[in-house]
Amino acid sequence: MARQFEPYVLLGFTDERVVERTRSAVNFTTNKIGGTPDWHQDKDLPLTKCKLCGTNQTLVVQIFAPLDGSEYLRTLYFFACPQPQCWNRPESWMCIRQQTLSQTKPDKLSGAAQTATISSTSWADDADNWGTDSDDDEKSVPSVDQENGNIIFQIPQNAPEGSDTDDESSSVEELSDPNANSGGAEGAFAIEFNSKCSVATAEIETGDESDIVSIDTPTQPRQLAEIFSYAPLPPHAHHEFACSFISVAEEKFDTQRGAKITEHELSLLQAYQQSELGGGDVQIDVRKMKVEVAGGAETTGEQYEQDLPSHGDAYAHRFLSRLKQNSGQVIRYGLGADPMLLKPLSKQKMRCTHCGSDLVFEMQLMPPLLNSLSLLHDAERMDVLDFGTVIVFTCPSACWDQRGFQEERLVVQAE
Amino acid sequence: MADNAAAGARGGFRGGFGGRGRGGRPRGRGRGRGRGRGKEAEKEWVPVTKLGRLVRDGKIRSLEEIYLFSLPIKEYEIIDFFIGSQLKDEVLKIMPVQKQTRAGQRTRFKAFVAIGDSNGHIGLGVKCSKEVATAIRGAIILAKLSVVPVRRGYWGNKIGKPHTVPCKVTGKCGSVLVRLIPAPRGTGIVSAPVPKKLLNMAGIEDCYTSARGSTGTLGNFAKATYTAIGKTYAYLTPDLWKEMPLATAPYHEYADYLAKNHRVVGTGLQ
């Protein structure tokens, strides 16, 4: 059932909660669940509103996903309306992409890390250097060896030529403390980004906001909804999900395990061998854990049969079986891969509204994410969101028009 | 999933997403993910469906509540949660089947597994696979997904516990027709080996059976018996004639679920 031909797929798993101590490591290059969106350039975009009921949407997931061969630092933000009557509807979700030019080209970054490795033996030479020289940047880039083997190269103390505001220099110093919990390579990006003036500018369109008085009351609940135990949330409050990090791993299918027989199955087979139905068909080699089955289709007339579970939903069965092989995954990222579907997709081609190129699958949110979502101010509330899977299709060329943000196409499938 | 012990120590490179071949490899020592891979059996159940979440949180008291509202069970762990400890599974048959492909014949193994708790629940699973182990494993999962309740009744005097089928029921699959007939207490199960196993696992103590058709095809024979047993709850007997008020869902989520249910199967495109 595992199709191995597609490009490798990355899976995201819920990691630890973001607490005060680690909050400093969270920026627009962090992958996280919940919290408030960390926009590029710290300019807050206005809160998005649900198209159905007008409630403020909550950030569900923020994913930093730069594309290969592109100089942009690209982040995807997923917003959803937490109102129960808007769950599972595609209009209540929104995916926003923001990107900014990175100051270092990707290969240049790894080059700097290498010079850091080379010069790591010479860190002691700096012991007498109290930072008065200004021309020692290239030779001695102090590096910090992290516990997990990462090497962080540090921005030289001698601050940038350009703007020298207090905020910037203090942030540089903060990072060069080897004990600080920085975000590793991502932290270096951010610091470098902050220290030099950003090239890309962004402007927020404020034209229409004054015209629309958008105090929409929530839509009239359906008949059944009146006896729901999901109380609707206050529409004008600002809801936030508790924030957690996401850890990433490759999708692996345990094909080895498939061939091996477990104890339980072996005992079943032994019972079968003894029973009146099994007879001499089955030969079990307990030492080598192998089973051989004789008999042929001609005698019994049995045919190959597609396995269909008794609930009848083949798509759901395939989806769930595949999900369970890497259980607990909350994000499935596979640019250009095939999405895992709960229902067939419509055949019409999706095109980017800006550049007209065909959209390509990038990632999808998986149901175990719902286990990690809880409202920050109302932790007792059991169900805060519902979906089967949320699939996003993005523009492969990451077209960008300096507007400050770009919407991406979403497909929401209910269970 | 959080590895709290190591959390303080590491700075935080948790791996990243990105284009092909970029930043995806998690470096460093194995964290929660790597550790979890080895121990498959001890992994905690992470529910994936709405019903699974309700079950794990304890909102649903018993399997019978799920049957009452006809909610589709898509996760086999739900069954395990309620009656897992009493369930016994058994392999009815394993046989090689051949599929004709352009490159010749391909042999796979087909496994029939019946599962039941001998007290009112029965399931039957069929799975074809290249390996015997995979076929059995898959068949066990499918059997758990297909667990249905079994109604038992009396032959004559209503003394003691129900011991036989409540009425004559018949099930058909392919050309095989299986008929289950109530029997007096102490008769035991009078049938061929295949239905006998199934009826035992369902918890029916006494039963006469009658089979017709090509009962050599074990698959059809087992499925026909399973269908017949499942029909015991579908049959409206006179003691159910009494008007009952429509049950209001004790947990209102069910109403929500039912409303969504009707869109799930076979309604096509998104």
Side-chain angles (χ1 to χ4, degrees), chain A residues 90 315 339 341-351 359 391 393 409-413, chain B residues 267-270:
Chain A
Y315 270 96
L341 299 170
L342 280 170
K343 293 183 189 63
L345 283 177
S346 68
K347 285 281 187 296
Q348 61 176 155
K349 282 223 153 286
M350 284 178 278
R351 292 190 173 281
L359 294 180
I391 310 175
F393 295 89
R409 177 98 159 83
L410 279 175
V411 169
V412 177
Q413 291 190 334
Chain B
T267 45
L269 309 180
Q270 162 68 24

Side-chain angles (χ1 to χ4, degrees), chain A residues 222 224 228, chain B residues 253-264:
Chain A
R222 306 187 297 267
L224 276 170
F228 274 6
Chain B
E253 283 89 343
Y254 294 87
D256 163 29
Y257 216 70
L258 272 179
K260 287 200 193 140
N261 262 359
H262 297 296
R263 290 206 290 261
V264 169

Side-chain angles (χ1 to χ4, degrees), chain B:
Chain B
M1 213 79 65
D3 194 356
N4 285 320
R10 60 193 152 120
F13 184 73
R14 295 172 172 81
F17 297 105
R20 280 160 244 225
R22 173 152 174 190
R25 324 249 177 253
R27 293 172 223 153
R29 307 193 193 110
R31 277 169 244 121
R33 283 289 90 223
R35 190 182 43 140
R37 278 284 152 78
K39 308 184 208 167
E40 292 290 347
E42 294 155 37
K43 260 192 195 160
E44 211 192 287
W45 169 35
V46 177
V48 171
T49 55
K50 184 100 181 286
L51 188 60
R53 278 191 286 275
L54 285 174
V55 165
R56 207 227 0 211
D57 294 336
K59 297 271 174 67
I60 300 188
R61 283 186 222 121
S62 73
L63 198 51
E64 269 54 45
E65 283 191 345
I66 302 182
Y67 292 139
L68 182 62
F69 296 106
S70 302
L71 305 172
I73 299 177
K74 296 189 180 167
E75 285 188 273
Y76 69 90
E77 288 97 341
I78 295 175
I79 304 283
D80 267 338
F81 183 88
F82 288 116
I83 53 176
S85 47
Q86 293 109 35
L87 279 179
K88 295 268 175 306
D89 44 6
E90 192 167 337
V91 171
L92 292 179
K93 192 139 184 91
I94 301 180
M95 63 184 74
V97 289
Q98 286 173 335
K99 179 175 176 178
Q100 195 71 24
T101 60
R102 260 178 292 148
Q105 288 182 327
R106 183 157 53 151
T107 307
R108 293 192 201 193
F109 297 102
K110 189 166 175 180
F112 293 90
V113 169
I115 198 167
D117 67 346
S118 302
N119 196 15
H121 297 96
I122 184 77
L124 177 70
V126 182
K127 175 94 173 117
C128 261
S129 183
K130 279 194 288 247
E131 319 267 344
V132 175
T134 325
I136 296 183
R137 212 168 289 142
I140 293 179
I141 291 178
L142 285 173
K144 286 186 183 162
L145 286 177
S146 70
V147 166
V148 286
V150 178
R151 186 175 183 210
R152 289 158 291 173
Y154 299 95
W155 174 83
N157 291 334
K158 293 189 172 48
I159 313 171
K161 286 210 160 301
H163 59 101
T164 185
V165 278
C167 56
K168 293 180 188 172
V169 286
T170 153
K172 186 164 161 63
C173 179
S175 69
V176 181
L177 186 112
V178 170
R179 190 181 191 211
L180 305 175
I181 299 151
R185 207 181 282 276
T187 316
I189 301 181
V190 179
S191 85
V194 170
K196 187 167 188 166
K197 275 204 205 296
L198 279 166
L199 289 165
N200 264 322
M201 288 173 133
I204 296 174
E205 296 161 14
D206 312 289
C207 189
Y208 294 123
T209 62
S210 162
R212 190 202 147 89
S214 168
T215 56
T217 27
L218 191 136
N220 287 346
F221 201 9
K223 282 193 213 165
T225 314
Y226 167 78
T227 312
I229 299 176
K231 275 197 192 165
T232 53
Y233 258 119
Y235 202 100
L236 186 68
T237 55
D239 49 304
L240 295 174
W241 283 357
K242 179 163 174 237
E243 289 257 343
M244 301 243 258
L246 278 178
T248 55
Y251 299 109
H252 301 140
E253 283 89 343
Y254 294 87
D256 163 29
Y257 216 70
L258 272 179
K260 287 200 193 140
N261 262 359
H262 297 296
R263 290 206 290 261
V264 169
V265 180
T267 45
L269 309 180
Q270 162 68 24

Side-chain angles (χ1 to χ4, degrees), chain A residues 263-283:
Chain A
E263 311 258 321
H264 179 63
E265 285 151 20
L266 208 56
S267 64
L268 280 180
L269 283 170
Q270 279 169 333
Y272 170 64
Q273 207 180 23
Q274 255 99 55
S275 78
E276 49 212 356
L277 300 168
D281 279 355
V282 174
Q283 270 88 44

